[in-house]
Amino acid sequence: MVSWKRVCVTGGAGFVGSHLCDALVGAGSEVVCVDDLSSGSRSNVAALLEARGAGGSGGRFSLIEADVAGGIPVEGPFDAVLHLASAASPPEYLARPLETLAVGSSGTLNALDLAGRCGARFLLASTSEVYGDPAVHPQTESYWGNVNPVGPRSVYDEAKRFSEALSMAYHRLGKVDVRIVRIFNTYGPRLRPRDGRVLSNFAVQALSGEPITVYGDGSQTRSLCYVDDEVAGILALLDSDVTGPVNIGNPAEITVLELARKVIDATGSASQIVFRPIPEDDPTRRCPDIARARELLGWSPRVDLEEGLERTLAYYREILAPGSASGLFAPDGPGPGDKQAGAPR
Ligand code: UDP
């Protein structure tokens, strides 16, 4: 891994962002995390903050609470800026449509400007959602996608597509050295309980003995990547000379109904599967073609679903245990169309 001296991570207190911060600090970087804590949380970076207090990571981590759409109140120098800030769970971004568009547009502009001022490399966390409901399967980076520009999901999908366009414009103008990663569905410890995403919902429902809510008939597919693999892929791209975009995800495809059954088996839960209406424009299938990541980055995922599920369930068992001090468990988290659970911006 390249040794990055000082790195700014927007959204660094979120699910993927906090694991990236762990990896960067662990590799010796100083990390300045900027997060408005609307979907991220202080507890995700508690170990990094405590280690700082105890001198463990030598003061190499700091958390600045700010909404990057309004500006990024940090001082350089930075040699890399990683832009992850955004709601990523469908119920959350559907409940915060304007904030999601703002962070994808103004937030990305601010992060690119910061990178430009510092001469830092810029990495954009883009998404498989740029492919929409894909007509090409598995999805290659050369596929332009099938997004409904006026559908409810467009606030996220189009914001990310705009972020890619903006980043490439900066790159082509020679203002910033850009890397674009398209992140596919990712799971693992710190995926907020009941944040609306499928594995978070199913795991918490199974462990709590509640019905498992499958949307539609469950025949839609996803391909789930364990967070350690995702972070390794993102960092391999950051370290490389590849602008991208590059898909980083696990190509092991599974239907949502199969996933529900796997979670029930892995937990030994007595929960029953119940079927709920499918959200509007829910993609029918999704699977990354990762030939580019394999060839150009030498990256491929290592953790299969069985192992990743075990590790993730261990995390949920711990934080759901009675008396857990994590403070992460909100009994009534968001469902599709519910109001968002995060703090207002
Ligand atoms: N899903 C489901 N039940 C849930 C949450 C999600 O059946 O409680 C489905 C959802 O409709 C979608 C898939 O699981 O087809 C993945 O949803 P998620 O919100 O995790 O992410 P997406 O890939 O849609 O952005």
PDB file of all heavy atoms in Angstrom, residues 199 202-203 206-207 258-270 305-314 317:
ATOM      1  N   LEU A 199     -29.289  -6.442   4.270  1.00  0.00           N
ATOM      2  CA  LEU A 199     -28.675  -7.345   5.237  1.00  0.00           C
ATOM      3  C   LEU A 199     -28.848  -6.846   6.664  1.00  0.00           C
ATOM      4  O   LEU A 199     -29.055  -7.629   7.593  1.00  0.00           O
ATOM      5  CB  LEU A 199     -27.195  -7.573   4.934  1.00  0.00           C
ATOM      6  CG  LEU A 199     -26.744  -8.797   5.704  1.00  0.00           C
ATOM      7  CD1 LEU A 199     -27.257 -10.070   5.061  1.00  0.00           C
ATOM      8  CD2 LEU A 199     -25.274  -8.837   5.857  1.00  0.00           C
ATOM      9  N   PHE A 202     -32.499  -7.794   7.550  1.00  0.00           N
ATOM     10  CA  PHE A 202     -32.713  -9.228   7.740  1.00  0.00           C
ATOM     11  C   PHE A 202     -32.006  -9.738   8.999  1.00  0.00           C
ATOM     12  O   PHE A 202     -32.567 -10.525   9.755  1.00  0.00           O
ATOM     13  CB  PHE A 202     -32.211 -10.022   6.518  1.00  0.00           C
ATOM     14  CG  PHE A 202     -33.079  -9.900   5.289  1.00  0.00           C
ATOM     15  CD1 PHE A 202     -32.730 -10.561   4.112  1.00  0.00           C
ATOM     16  CD2 PHE A 202     -34.243  -9.136   5.291  1.00  0.00           C
ATOM     17  CE1 PHE A 202     -33.523 -10.461   2.968  1.00  0.00           C
ATOM     18  CE2 PHE A 202     -35.037  -9.012   4.148  1.00  0.00           C
ATOM     19  CZ  PHE A 202     -34.664  -9.681   2.982  1.00  0.00           C
ATOM     20  N   ALA A 203     -30.787  -9.287   9.205  1.00  0.00           N
ATOM     21  CA  ALA A 203     -30.021  -9.787  10.355  1.00  0.00           C
ATOM     22  C   ALA A 203     -30.688  -9.377  11.664  1.00  0.00           C
ATOM     23  O   ALA A 203     -30.871 -10.203  12.573  1.00  0.00           O
ATOM     24  CB  ALA A 203     -28.582  -9.253  10.298  1.00  0.00           C
ATOM     25  N   ALA A 206     -34.019 -11.245  12.100  1.00  0.00           N
ATOM     26  CA  ALA A 206     -33.823 -12.656  12.468  1.00  0.00           C
ATOM     27  C   ALA A 206     -33.376 -12.779  13.923  1.00  0.00           C
ATOM     28  O   ALA A 206     -33.887 -13.618  14.679  1.00  0.00           O
ATOM     29  CB  ALA A 206     -32.797 -13.304  11.541  1.00  0.00           C
ATOM     30  N   LEU A 207     -32.458 -11.923  14.320  1.00  0.00           N
ATOM     31  CA  LEU A 207     -31.935 -12.012  15.692  1.00  0.00           C
ATOM     32  C   LEU A 207     -32.967 -11.559  16.721  1.00  0.00           C
ATOM     33  O   LEU A 207     -32.890 -11.935  17.889  1.00  0.00           O
ATOM     34  CB  LEU A 207     -30.649 -11.180  15.823  1.00  0.00           C
ATOM     35  CG  LEU A 207     -29.435 -11.737  15.064  1.00  0.00           C
ATOM     36  CD1 LEU A 207     -28.281 -10.737  15.082  1.00  0.00           C
ATOM     37  CD2 LEU A 207     -28.977 -13.075  15.657  1.00  0.00           C
ATOM     38  N   GLU A 258     -33.338 -15.897  -1.372  1.00  0.00           N
ATOM     39  CA  GLU A 258     -32.270 -16.817  -0.918  1.00  0.00           C
ATOM     40  C   GLU A 258     -31.500 -16.213   0.251  1.00  0.00           C
ATOM     41  O   GLU A 258     -31.132 -16.907   1.203  1.00  0.00           O
ATOM     42  CB  GLU A 258     -31.280 -17.087  -2.056  1.00  0.00           C
ATOM     43  CG  GLU A 258     -31.745 -18.083  -3.101  1.00  0.00           C
ATOM     44  CD  GLU A 258     -30.836 -18.074  -4.341  1.00  0.00           C
ATOM     45  OE1 GLU A 258     -30.108 -17.090  -4.597  1.00  0.00           O
ATOM     46  OE2 GLU A 258     -30.876 -19.061  -5.056  1.00  0.00           O
ATOM     47  N   LEU A 259     -31.259 -14.924   0.155  1.00  0.00           N
ATOM     48  CA  LEU A 259     -30.527 -14.253   1.230  1.00  0.00           C
ATOM     49  C   LEU A 259     -31.306 -14.330   2.547  1.00  0.00           C
ATOM     50  O   LEU A 259     -30.727 -14.601   3.613  1.00  0.00           O
ATOM     51  CB  LEU A 259     -30.259 -12.789   0.844  1.00  0.00           C
ATOM     52  CG  LEU A 259     -29.457 -11.977   1.845  1.00  0.00           C
ATOM     53  CD1 LEU A 259     -28.034 -12.514   1.978  1.00  0.00           C
ATOM     54  CD2 LEU A 259     -29.396 -10.502   1.442  1.00  0.00           C
ATOM     55  N   ALA A 260     -32.611 -14.116   2.459  1.00  0.00           N
ATOM     56  CA  ALA A 260     -33.449 -14.197   3.662  1.00  0.00           C
ATOM     57  C   ALA A 260     -33.319 -15.601   4.284  1.00  0.00           C
ATOM     58  O   ALA A 260     -33.152 -15.742   5.504  1.00  0.00           O
ATOM     59  CB  ALA A 260     -34.908 -13.902   3.309  1.00  0.00           C
ATOM     60  N   ARG A 261     -33.353 -16.628   3.429  1.00  0.00           N
ATOM     61  CA  ARG A 261     -33.255 -18.003   3.947  1.00  0.00           C
ATOM     62  C   ARG A 261     -31.890 -18.262   4.558  1.00  0.00           C
ATOM     63  O   ARG A 261     -31.760 -18.933   5.586  1.00  0.00           O
ATOM     64  CB  ARG A 261     -33.515 -18.998   2.811  1.00  0.00           C
ATOM     65  CG  ARG A 261     -34.958 -18.905   2.327  1.00  0.00           C
ATOM     66  CD  ARG A 261     -35.356 -20.167   1.557  1.00  0.00           C
ATOM     67  NE  ARG A 261     -36.744 -20.083   1.127  1.00  0.00           N
ATOM     68  CZ  ARG A 261     -37.144 -19.980  -0.141  1.00  0.00           C
ATOM     69  NH1 ARG A 261     -36.264 -19.971  -1.128  1.00  0.00           N
ATOM     70  NH2 ARG A 261     -38.426 -19.903  -0.424  1.00  0.00           N
ATOM     71  N   LYS A 262     -30.851 -17.717   3.939  1.00  0.00           N
ATOM     72  CA  LYS A 262     -29.492 -17.895   4.474  1.00  0.00           C
ATOM     73  C   LYS A 262     -29.356 -17.261   5.856  1.00  0.00           C
ATOM     74  O   LYS A 262     -28.711 -17.805   6.748  1.00  0.00           O
ATOM     75  CB  LYS A 262     -28.466 -17.238   3.537  1.00  0.00           C
ATOM     76  CG  LYS A 262     -27.856 -18.211   2.555  1.00  0.00           C
ATOM     77  CD  LYS A 262     -26.610 -17.604   1.917  1.00  0.00           C
ATOM     78  CE  LYS A 262     -26.173 -18.401   0.706  1.00  0.00           C
ATOM     79  NZ  LYS A 262     -25.786 -19.775   0.972  1.00  0.00           N
ATOM     80  N   VAL A 263     -29.947 -16.079   6.009  1.00  0.00           N
ATOM     81  CA  VAL A 263     -29.864 -15.385   7.299  1.00  0.00           C
ATOM     82  C   VAL A 263     -30.636 -16.183   8.362  1.00  0.00           C
ATOM     83  O   VAL A 263     -30.167 -16.342   9.501  1.00  0.00           O
ATOM     84  CB  VAL A 263     -30.385 -13.927   7.180  1.00  0.00           C
ATOM     85  CG1 VAL A 263     -30.485 -13.271   8.550  1.00  0.00           C
ATOM     86  CG2 VAL A 263     -29.479 -13.113   6.261  1.00  0.00           C
ATOM     87  N   ILE A 264     -31.787 -16.723   7.982  1.00  0.00           N
ATOM     88  CA  ILE A 264     -32.563 -17.531   8.931  1.00  0.00           C
ATOM     89  C   ILE A 264     -31.749 -18.767   9.337  1.00  0.00           C
ATOM     90  O   ILE A 264     -31.640 -19.100  10.523  1.00  0.00           O
ATOM     91  CB  ILE A 264     -33.924 -17.931   8.317  1.00  0.00           C
ATOM     92  CG1 ILE A 264     -34.819 -16.682   8.202  1.00  0.00           C
ATOM     93  CG2 ILE A 264     -34.610 -19.009   9.149  1.00  0.00           C
ATOM     94  CD1 ILE A 264     -36.131 -16.914   7.475  1.00  0.00           C
ATOM     95  N   ASP A 265     -31.125 -19.427   8.363  1.00  0.00           N
ATOM     96  CA  ASP A 265     -30.308 -20.615   8.664  1.00  0.00           C
ATOM     97  C   ASP A 265     -29.139 -20.259   9.577  1.00  0.00           C
ATOM     98  O   ASP A 265     -28.851 -20.949  10.544  1.00  0.00           O
ATOM     99  CB  ASP A 265     -29.740 -21.220   7.370  1.00  0.00           C
ATOM    100  CG  ASP A 265     -30.819 -21.978   6.608  1.00  0.00           C
ATOM    101  OD1 ASP A 265     -31.918 -22.155   7.177  1.00  0.00           O
ATOM    102  OD2 ASP A 265     -30.560 -22.363   5.450  1.00  0.00           O
ATOM    103  N   ALA A 266     -28.449 -19.168   9.223  1.00  0.00           N
ATOM    104  CA  ALA A 266     -27.237 -18.815   9.967  1.00  0.00           C
ATOM    105  C   ALA A 266     -27.545 -18.395  11.404  1.00  0.00           C
ATOM    106  O   ALA A 266     -26.699 -18.526  12.290  1.00  0.00           O
ATOM    107  CB  ALA A 266     -26.489 -17.694   9.244  1.00  0.00           C
ATOM    108  N   THR A 267     -28.742 -17.881  11.634  1.00  0.00           N
ATOM    109  CA  THR A 267     -29.084 -17.427  12.987  1.00  0.00           C
ATOM    110  C   THR A 267     -29.870 -18.493  13.751  1.00  0.00           C
ATOM    111  O   THR A 267     -30.029 -18.387  14.973  1.00  0.00           O
ATOM    112  CB  THR A 267     -29.963 -16.155  12.935  1.00  0.00           C
ATOM    113  OG1 THR A 267     -31.059 -16.392  12.045  1.00  0.00           O
ATOM    114  CG2 THR A 267     -29.177 -14.943  12.474  1.00  0.00           C
ATOM    115  N   GLY A 268     -30.417 -19.487  13.021  1.00  0.00           N
ATOM    116  CA  GLY A 268     -31.294 -20.468  13.667  1.00  0.00           C
ATOM    117  C   GLY A 268     -32.581 -19.816  14.143  1.00  0.00           C
ATOM    118  O   GLY A 268     -33.242 -20.294  15.072  1.00  0.00           O
ATOM    119  N   SER A 269     -32.949 -18.724  13.492  1.00  0.00           N
ATOM    120  CA  SER A 269     -34.114 -17.945  13.935  1.00  0.00           C
ATOM    121  C   SER A 269     -35.429 -18.641  13.590  1.00  0.00           C
ATOM    122  O   SER A 269     -35.526 -19.374  12.605  1.00  0.00           O
ATOM    123  CB  SER A 269     -34.065 -16.578  13.248  1.00  0.00           C
ATOM    124  OG  SER A 269     -35.238 -15.859  13.494  1.00  0.00           O
ATOM    125  N   ALA A 270     -36.441 -18.382  14.405  1.00  0.00           N
ATOM    126  CA  ALA A 270     -37.787 -18.899  14.125  1.00  0.00           C
ATOM    127  C   ALA A 270     -38.581 -17.889  13.288  1.00  0.00           C
ATOM    128  O   ALA A 270     -39.771 -18.081  13.038  1.00  0.00           O
ATOM    129  CB  ALA A 270     -38.514 -19.178  15.436  1.00  0.00           C
ATOM    130  N   LEU A 305     -19.869 -15.226   1.334  1.00  0.00           N
ATOM    131  CA  LEU A 305     -21.049 -14.779   2.077  1.00  0.00           C
ATOM    132  C   LEU A 305     -21.191 -15.508   3.416  1.00  0.00           C
ATOM    133  O   LEU A 305     -21.559 -14.887   4.417  1.00  0.00           O
ATOM    134  CB  LEU A 305     -22.307 -14.966   1.212  1.00  0.00           C
ATOM    135  CG  LEU A 305     -23.607 -14.412   1.797  1.00  0.00           C
ATOM    136  CD1 LEU A 305     -23.507 -12.918   2.100  1.00  0.00           C
ATOM    137  CD2 LEU A 305     -24.771 -14.667   0.844  1.00  0.00           C
ATOM    138  N   GLU A 306     -20.868 -16.788   3.451  1.00  0.00           N
ATOM    139  CA  GLU A 306     -21.018 -17.549   4.708  1.00  0.00           C
ATOM    140  C   GLU A 306     -20.143 -16.934   5.798  1.00  0.00           C
ATOM    141  O   GLU A 306     -20.594 -16.666   6.910  1.00  0.00           O
ATOM    142  CB  GLU A 306     -20.622 -19.023   4.508  1.00  0.00           C
ATOM    143  CG  GLU A 306     -21.707 -19.884   3.888  1.00  0.00           C
ATOM    144  CD  GLU A 306     -22.060 -19.476   2.460  1.00  0.00           C
ATOM    145  OE1 GLU A 306     -21.142 -19.028   1.728  1.00  0.00           O
ATOM    146  OE2 GLU A 306     -23.241 -19.574   2.080  1.00  0.00           O
ATOM    147  N   GLU A 307     -18.872 -16.708   5.433  1.00  0.00           N
ATOM    148  CA  GLU A 307     -17.938 -16.171   6.427  1.00  0.00           C
ATOM    149  C   GLU A 307     -18.294 -14.726   6.806  1.00  0.00           C
ATOM    150  O   GLU A 307     -18.292 -14.354   7.987  1.00  0.00           O
ATOM    151  CB  GLU A 307     -16.516 -16.239   5.858  1.00  0.00           C
ATOM    152  CG  GLU A 307     -15.457 -15.880   6.872  1.00  0.00           C
ATOM    153  CD  GLU A 307     -14.057 -15.849   6.263  1.00  0.00           C
ATOM    154  OE1 GLU A 307     -13.854 -16.413   5.168  1.00  0.00           O
ATOM    155  OE2 GLU A 307     -13.177 -15.248   6.904  1.00  0.00           O
ATOM    156  N   GLY A 308     -18.610 -13.927   5.780  1.00  0.00           N
ATOM    157  CA  GLY A 308     -18.955 -12.524   6.035  1.00  0.00           C
ATOM    158  C   GLY A 308     -20.200 -12.401   6.897  1.00  0.00           C
ATOM    159  O   GLY A 308     -20.289 -11.540   7.783  1.00  0.00           O
ATOM    160  N   LEU A 309     -21.144 -13.298   6.635  1.00  0.00           N
ATOM    161  CA  LEU A 309     -22.387 -13.294   7.403  1.00  0.00           C
ATOM    162  C   LEU A 309     -22.103 -13.631   8.869  1.00  0.00           C
ATOM    163  O   LEU A 309     -22.637 -12.982   9.782  1.00  0.00           O
ATOM    164  CB  LEU A 309     -23.335 -14.328   6.782  1.00  0.00           C
ATOM    165  CG  LEU A 309     -24.824 -14.201   7.049  1.00  0.00           C
ATOM    166  CD1 LEU A 309     -25.330 -12.804   6.770  1.00  0.00           C
ATOM    167  CD2 LEU A 309     -25.586 -15.215   6.171  1.00  0.00           C
ATOM    168  N   GLU A 310     -21.260 -14.613   9.091  1.00  0.00           N
ATOM    169  CA  GLU A 310     -20.910 -14.978  10.475  1.00  0.00           C
ATOM    170  C   GLU A 310     -20.318 -13.784  11.217  1.00  0.00           C
ATOM    171  O   GLU A 310     -20.678 -13.480  12.350  1.00  0.00           O
ATOM    172  CB  GLU A 310     -19.916 -16.152  10.497  1.00  0.00           C
ATOM    173  CG  GLU A 310     -20.567 -17.520  10.450  1.00  0.00           C
ATOM    174  CD  GLU A 310     -21.780 -17.650  11.384  1.00  0.00           C
ATOM    175  OE1 GLU A 310     -21.677 -17.260  12.566  1.00  0.00           O
ATOM    176  OE2 GLU A 310     -22.839 -18.099  10.909  1.00  0.00           O
ATOM    177  N   ARG A 311     -19.365 -13.116  10.555  1.00  0.00           N
ATOM    178  CA  ARG A 311     -18.700 -11.970  11.202  1.00  0.00           C
ATOM    179  C   ARG A 311     -19.700 -10.839  11.466  1.00  0.00           C
ATOM    180  O   ARG A 311     -19.643 -10.165  12.489  1.00  0.00           O
ATOM    181  CB  ARG A 311     -17.583 -11.426  10.301  1.00  0.00           C
ATOM    182  CG  ARG A 311     -16.433 -12.392  10.126  1.00  0.00           C
ATOM    183  CD  ARG A 311     -15.300 -11.641   9.444  1.00  0.00           C
ATOM    184  NE  ARG A 311     -14.403 -12.545   8.732  1.00  0.00           N
ATOM    185  CZ  ARG A 311     -13.438 -12.150   7.915  1.00  0.00           C
ATOM    186  NH1 ARG A 311     -13.244 -10.860   7.693  1.00  0.00           N
ATOM    187  NH2 ARG A 311     -12.660 -13.016   7.312  1.00  0.00           N
ATOM    188  N   THR A 312     -20.606 -10.641  10.517  1.00  0.00           N
ATOM    189  CA  THR A 312     -21.575  -9.549  10.654  1.00  0.00           C
ATOM    190  C   THR A 312     -22.596  -9.881  11.738  1.00  0.00           C
ATOM    191  O   THR A 312     -22.971  -9.017  12.550  1.00  0.00           O
ATOM    192  CB  THR A 312     -22.275  -9.303   9.304  1.00  0.00           C
ATOM    193  OG1 THR A 312     -21.261  -9.145   8.311  1.00  0.00           O
ATOM    194  CG2 THR A 312     -23.135  -8.062   9.329  1.00  0.00           C
ATOM    195  N   LEU A 313     -23.016 -11.134  11.771  1.00  0.00           N
ATOM    196  CA  LEU A 313     -23.991 -11.526  12.796  1.00  0.00           C
ATOM    197  C   LEU A 313     -23.374 -11.416  14.190  1.00  0.00           C
ATOM    198  O   LEU A 313     -24.056 -11.039  15.149  1.00  0.00           O
ATOM    199  CB  LEU A 313     -24.488 -12.951  12.538  1.00  0.00           C
ATOM    200  CG  LEU A 313     -25.419 -13.089  11.316  1.00  0.00           C
ATOM    201  CD1 LEU A 313     -25.657 -14.556  10.982  1.00  0.00           C
ATOM    202  CD2 LEU A 313     -26.748 -12.361  11.546  1.00  0.00           C
ATOM    203  N   ALA A 314     -22.092 -11.716  14.291  1.00  0.00           N
ATOM    204  CA  ALA A 314     -21.415 -11.586  15.596  1.00  0.00           C
ATOM    205  C   ALA A 314     -21.490 -10.133  16.071  1.00  0.00           C
ATOM    206  O   ALA A 314     -21.735  -9.852  17.250  1.00  0.00           O
ATOM    207  CB  ALA A 314     -19.961 -12.046  15.483  1.00  0.00           C
ATOM    208  N   ARG A 317     -25.110  -9.428  17.109  1.00  0.00           N
ATOM    209  CA  ARG A 317     -25.435 -10.077  18.393  1.00  0.00           C
ATOM    210  C   ARG A 317     -24.889  -9.243  19.549  1.00  0.00           C
ATOM    211  O   ARG A 317     -25.546  -9.060  20.566  1.00  0.00           O
ATOM    212  CB  ARG A 317     -24.809 -11.476  18.460  1.00  0.00           C
ATOM    213  CG  ARG A 317     -25.609 -12.510  17.725  1.00  0.00           C
ATOM    214  CD  ARG A 317     -25.165 -13.931  18.057  1.00  0.00           C
ATOM    215  NE  ARG A 317     -25.755 -14.840  17.076  1.00  0.00           N
ATOM    216  CZ  ARG A 317     -25.127 -15.296  15.990  1.00  0.00           C
ATOM    217  NH1 ARG A 317     -23.869 -14.958  15.763  1.00  0.00           N
ATOM    218  NH2 ARG A 317     -25.750 -16.093  15.156  1.00  0.00           N
TER     219      ARG A 317
END
